[in-house]
């Protein structure tokens, strides 16, 4: 309200400052009664804009295009928070007589009624709280707000009162009606207005110029929202070019930037892609009336957000294709554990409809658990979900019984804690061995996880996010495999089932299997190598090493796989936390040798300093050309301890323009930049991609369906997504990596 504080000292009687100081809290009824009492009877107080400047643009919006109106006199107008403004008087005199004025100050309503009861008898005056309007639904053609919303948006109060008020505005407006809001358009006000009227409303915004003699530093904006029937979002239209503006550059830039940001959000929702809606989006009408069952309706959504729930959940809402009276449940929740999320029955749309049919529910909400939920009990998950899913339940026709929960199995059958460690940098860290439950035999699953034990590295700071996951193998079997490796290493057939089974045996009898990648996002990272396979082939043919720098060690599983699988790689790993390095060596078989080095330090600093050394070497070459010819790959897999930005991985420093430019220099020609992206915010994802597009000419993306991870690849040279590249990469590998061909040909998408 800082702008309003300055504005209000410039309006009103002989000593406005002293009078306004008596008001204080804009949301207090007592303060307003006192304010209007001090102003005295017959006084008029205008917050924003004067009638001569407001008249033409405002009256042009008061006409309601409808065959049911034979005259202006039939248009029903509501003026909430009317105060002592003369606005209603001017509108009345323009021919609009059906005006209802409301304010919660008894003092001002009594004064205005006495003032106009004879001269403008058809105007109505009511003492009423605008956040709880005592009117039926859809009774007004126009709701005209002049500073009312701004007054409710006190910083100390937040958006609570403003949200309640706007909910009432939407309720009392007829279809096709208009909400006209005169506002200073401060960022916190637009931050509420834009999302509240994003779905099913047309919105325009224009500036109302100050009169020439005005010394005000602030401009009034008129935001007009038209209530429609379609839920599709439309762009906010700016009419600034039609207005002779006299406002400060800072103010208009703020409004213009807010409109651009909002329109980018609306374009995303209008793109026709498989949108992930938030619960707030749905409550605001993104998919129409949530309480209504629509046969065959299906859409994806995100449940939960920071501050309102313990976890965030990806979900799919499905309304049974055939509605009948024989449903056992009106609404039900079906929880899918992480280990089973990739199965056809749960991941495909066709499979999901089978689940709906078997659930006997009219509406089924499938909730997919992932790495973030691994340490939460089902009781905690259900307690966290219950207040969220209740908003998605359709209108009940029988009773108020709780929404039932169904499950595909809890995923983890056995958990053994190997070590708990405490780090000053990372916080609590857990090394654990887990056994996942077996998939049901009738789910068309080809999963090989039955009875297998995995070793996992978990950072507790990330709400149980599993940093790394590895297969465990019996050492005697591993030794035998090494003896057989010349004939087995390139074999494409069924692998020997020598992985650790769920049984209590001495830990020393088992080791990490570095010939397989348990994490699909690691496979995704490796898939990106096919984008520069020509450079890799050239290096191998010339007998040169390819330098791979990985920022973020985790358990060391990716660098160890690359070390074993691609012997022409020279690998350097940068890890900030020495505790993580120790755990990787102690429990995950990570080793250093001539081809594998780990540096404890800052990854950003390492890249900057390496690039600087590279540039210095180039300058020392007499020809002026760089003598650094090696192919380089830079992988960023370092998470962020600060989740407030909505970016879990990578750390925000790794997607800043200055770092990305340095990384591009570091790579040289034929290089590849890969980053693991984990973000709950669609807007943050778009920001990261936008930053990378600014720096790199060739950008690709891989969205992992069963994970929260997305892999981004940036190449310095033009390349193609081809199956042949996968085959070429396969020939360079000592043993195959499952899933690369399907990944590169069907899921990697070009972004630029």
């Amino acid at each position: 309200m800082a702008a309003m504080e300055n504005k209000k000292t410039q309006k009103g009687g002989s000593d406005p400052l002293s009078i306004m100081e008596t008001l204080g809290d804009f949301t207090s009824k007592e303060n307003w009664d006192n304010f209007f009492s001090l102003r005295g009877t017959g006084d008029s107080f205008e917050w924003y804009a004067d009638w001569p400047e407001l008249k033409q643009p405002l009256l042009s919006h008061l006409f309601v295009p409808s065959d049911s109106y034979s005259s202006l006199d039939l248009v029903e107008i509501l003026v909430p928070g009317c105060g002592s403004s003369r606005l209603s008087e001017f509108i009345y005199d323009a021919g609009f007589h059906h005006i209802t004025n409301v304010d919660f100050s008894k003092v001002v309503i009594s004064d205005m009624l006495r003032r106009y009861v004879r001269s403008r008898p058809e105007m109505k005056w009511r003492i009423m709280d605008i956040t709880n309007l005592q009117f039926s639904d859809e009774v007004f053609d126009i709701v005209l707000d002049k500073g009312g919303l701004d007054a409710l948006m006190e910083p100390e109060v937040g958006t609570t009162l403003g949200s309640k008020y706007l909910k009432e505005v939407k309720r009392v407006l007829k279809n096709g009606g208009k909400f006209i809001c005169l506002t200073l358009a401060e960022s916190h006000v637009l931050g509420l207005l834009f999302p509240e009227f994003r779905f099913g409303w047309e919105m325009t915004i224009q500036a109302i110029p100050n009169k020439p003699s005005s010394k005000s530093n602030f401009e009034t904006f008129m935001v007009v929202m038209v209530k429609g029937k379609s839920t599709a979002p439309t762009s906010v239209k700016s009419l600034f070019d039609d207005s002779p503006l006299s406002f400060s550059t800072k103010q208009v830039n703020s409004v213009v930037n807010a409109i651009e940001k909002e329109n980018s959000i609306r374009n995303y929702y209008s793109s026709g892609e498989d949108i992930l809606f938030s619960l707030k989006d749905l409550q605001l009408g993104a998919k129409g009336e949530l309480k209504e069952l629509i046969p065959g309706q299906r859409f994806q959504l995100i449940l939960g957000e920071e501050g309102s729930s313990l976890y965030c959940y990806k979900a799919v809402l499905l309304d049974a294709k055939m509605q009948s009276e024989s449903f056992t449940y009106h609404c039900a929740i079906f929880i899918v554990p992480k280990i089973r999320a990739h199965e056809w029955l749960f991941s495909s749309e066709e499979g999901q409809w089978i689940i709906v049919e078997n659930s006997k529910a009219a509406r089924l909400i499938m909730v997919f658990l992932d790495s973030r939920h691994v340490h939460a009990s089902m009781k905690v998950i259900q307690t966290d979900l219950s207040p969220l899913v209740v908003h998605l339940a359709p209108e009940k026709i029988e009773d108020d019984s709780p929404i039932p929960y169904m499950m595909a199995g809890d995923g983890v059958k056995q958990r053994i804690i190997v070590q708990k460690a405490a780090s000053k940098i990372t916080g609590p860290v857990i090394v654990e061995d887990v056994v996942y439950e077996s998939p049901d035999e009738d789910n068309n699953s080809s999963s090989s996880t039955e009875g297998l034990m995995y070793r996992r590295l978990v950072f507790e700071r990330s709400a149980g996010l599993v940093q790394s996951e590895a297969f465990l193998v019996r050492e005697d079997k591993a030794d035998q495999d090494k003896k057989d490796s010349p004939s087995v290493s390139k074999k494409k057939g069924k692998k020997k089932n020598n992985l650790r089974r769920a049984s209590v045996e001495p830990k020393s009898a088992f080791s990490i299997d570095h010939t397989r990648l348990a994490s699909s996002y690691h496979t995704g990272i490796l898939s990106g190598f096919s984008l520069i396979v020509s450079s890799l082939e050239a290096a191998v043919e010339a007998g040169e090493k390819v330098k791979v720098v990985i920022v973020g060690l985790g358990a060391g599983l990716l660098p160890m796989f690359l070390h074993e699988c691609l012997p022409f790689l020279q690998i350097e790993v940068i890890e900030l936390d020495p505790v993580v390095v120790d755990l990787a060596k102690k429990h995950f078989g990570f080793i250093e040798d001539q081809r594998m080095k780990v540096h404890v330090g800052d990854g950003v600093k390492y890249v900057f300093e390496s690039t600087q050394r590279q540039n210095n070497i180039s300058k020392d070459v007499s020809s002026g050309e760089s003598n650094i010819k090696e192919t380089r790959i830079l992988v960023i897999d370092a998470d962020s301890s600060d989740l407030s930005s909505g970016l879990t991985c990578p750390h925000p420093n790794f997607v800043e323009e200055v770092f990305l430019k340095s990384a591009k220099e570091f790579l040289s020609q034929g290089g590849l930049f890969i980053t693991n992206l984990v973000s709950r915010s669609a807007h943050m994802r778009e920001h990261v991609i936008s930053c990378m597009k600014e720096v790199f000419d060739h950008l690709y993306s891989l969205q992992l369906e069963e994970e929260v991870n997305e892999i981004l690849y940036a190449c310095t040279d033009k390349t193609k997504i081809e199956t042949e590249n996968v085959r070429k990469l396969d020939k360079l590998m000592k043993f195959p990596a499952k899933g690369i061909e399907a990944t590169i040909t069907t899921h990697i998408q070009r972004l630029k």
Side-chain angles (χ1 to χ4, degrees), residues 69 71-79 88 91-93 95-101 120-124 139-143 174:
Y69 296 108
S71 70
L72 304 181
D73 192 39
L74 297 178
V75 178
E76 294 287 348
I77 299 176
L78 174 67
V79 182
S88 296
I91 295 173
Y92 188 98
D93 292 346
F96 299 90
H97 293 174
H98 283 209
I99 303 174
T100 301
N101 303 274
R120 294 164 182 85
E122 294 179 71
M123 270 207 294
K124 300 175 183 178
V139 292
F140 292 102
D141 301 292
I142 304 287
V143 175
K174 300 176 183 177

Side-chain angles (χ1 to χ4, degrees), residues 205-241:
I205 182 169
Q206 68 184 96
I208 306 300
N210 291 318
K211 60 184 180 181
S213 61
S214 173
K215 297 181 180 180
S216 173
N217 295 322
F218 299 98
E219 191 72 26
T220 301
F221 293 87
M222 181 165 66
V223 186
V224 180
M225 290 137 284
V226 183
K227 187 175 183 179
K229 295 182 179 180
S230 172
T231 60
T234 57
S235 296
V236 179
K237 296 179 182 178
S238 167
L239 304 180
F240 290 167
D241 293 341

Side-chain angles (χ1 to χ4, degrees), residues 651-668:
H651 189 284
N653 290 349
F654 291 104
V655 291
E656 290 183 354
E657 183 178 359
V658 63
F659 173 80
L660 294 175
K661 288 183 176 179
S662 181
K664 184 178 181 181
E665 284 189 67
F666 172 79
L667 292 175
S668 69

Side-chain angles (χ1 to χ4, degrees), residues 51 53 92 165 170 188 242 289 340 604 634 675 690:
W51 180 246
E53 287 69 39
Y92 188 98
Y165 166 52
K170 291 190 240 182
H188 63 288
D242 300 332
E289 178 52 63
R340 305 192 63 185
V604 173
L634 177 58
T675 184
S690 175

Side-chain angles (χ1 to χ4, degrees), residues 392-662:
L392 299 173
E395 289 286 0
K396 294 190 176 181
I397 56 178
E398 295 179 356
D399 55 47
D400 292 325
S401 58
I403 299 174
Y405 282 81
M406 307 174 186
M407 294 184 61
D410 61 5
V412 175
K413 182 169 64 176
Q414 181 182 353
R415 178 178 284 110
I416 301 171
I417 302 299
V418 177
Q419 182 180 345
K420 290 185 176 182
S423 165
K424 293 181 180 179
I425 297 174
T426 306
V429 183
I430 298 173
V431 178
E432 62 183 12
D433 292 346
V434 301
V435 178
Y436 293 115
E437 286 191 338
S438 305
D440 294 340
E441 295 180 358
D442 60 351
N443 282 343
N444 299 328
S445 172
S446 59
S447 172
S448 60
T449 59
E450 180 178 357
L452 304 181
M453 182 166 278
Y454 299 76
R455 180 158 293 171
R456 310 196 305 189
L457 181 69
V458 179
F459 292 174
E460 287 193 351
R461 74 183 183 193
S462 300
L465 181 68
V466 176
Q467 295 296 125
S468 304
E469 185 173 68
F471 293 110
L472 287 173
V473 62
R474 291 183 60 90
E475 289 191 344
D476 55 346
K477 294 286 187 180
D479 292 340
Q480 184 62 42
D481 281 350
K482 289 180 180 178
K483 293 178 182 179
D484 298 338
S485 60
S487 61
V488 176
S489 61
K490 293 297 291 183
K491 190 174 182 180
K492 296 286 185 174
K494 186 175 180 180
K495 296 178 73 75
K496 291 183 178 181
N497 196 356
N498 57 13
L499 299 181
R500 181 176 176 181
R501 294 288 172 178
S503 58
V504 180
E505 299 184 51
K507 296 177 191 173
S508 59
F510 301 91
S511 61
I512 301 298
D513 181 4
H514 288 301
T515 67
R516 295 181 65 185
L517 292 172
S519 297
S520 59
Y521 91 88
H522 280 163
T523 303
I525 290 175
L526 179 60
S527 298
F529 284 35
S530 64
L531 295 172
I532 60 164
V533 71
S534 297
S535 297
L536 300 182
E537 287 179 322
V540 172
E541 186 175 346
E544 299 173 348
K545 295 293 184 184
V546 174
K547 185 171 184 177
V548 177
V549 175
I550 301 175
V551 179
L553 175 66
L557 302 175
L558 177 63
M560 283 300 297
F561 178 87
L562 296 177
H563 179 273
E564 298 295 315
C565 185
L566 298 168
F568 57 87
L569 299 182
Q570 186 71 38
I571 305 170
E572 293 189 39
V573 185
I574 319 301
E575 173 56 51
L576 188 63
D577 193 342
V579 172
V580 171
V581 176
D582 291 342
L583 291 175
K585 291 180 176 180
K586 182 178 180 180
H587 297 296
F588 292 90
F590 179 76
I591 59 170
E592 293 186 78
D593 59 18
Q594 291 184 342
R595 291 179 42 239
M596 174 90 80
K597 299 294 181 183
V598 63
H599 307 280
V600 176
D602 187 324
V604 173
K605 184 178 180 182
Y606 173 90
V607 173
F608 280 144
E609 292 180 348
S610 297
T611 303
Q612 185 60 49
R613 286 195 300 269
Q614 176 178 308
N615 291 338
N616 290 338
I617 293 173
S618 298
K619 293 177 182 178
D620 292 338
V621 179
S622 58
S623 64
E625 296 180 357
S626 173
N627 62 350
I628 302 203
K629 300 295 185 181
E630 66 182 358
T631 299
R632 293 182 174 182
I633 299 172
L634 177 58
V635 179
I636 306 298
D637 190 19
D639 73 339
S640 173
S641 58
D642 179 14
L643 304 181
S644 60
S645 67
L647 187 63
T648 302
C649 184
H651 189 284
N653 290 349
F654 291 104
V655 291
E656 290 183 354
E657 183 178 359
V658 63
F659 173 80
L660 294 175
K661 288 183 176 179
S662 181

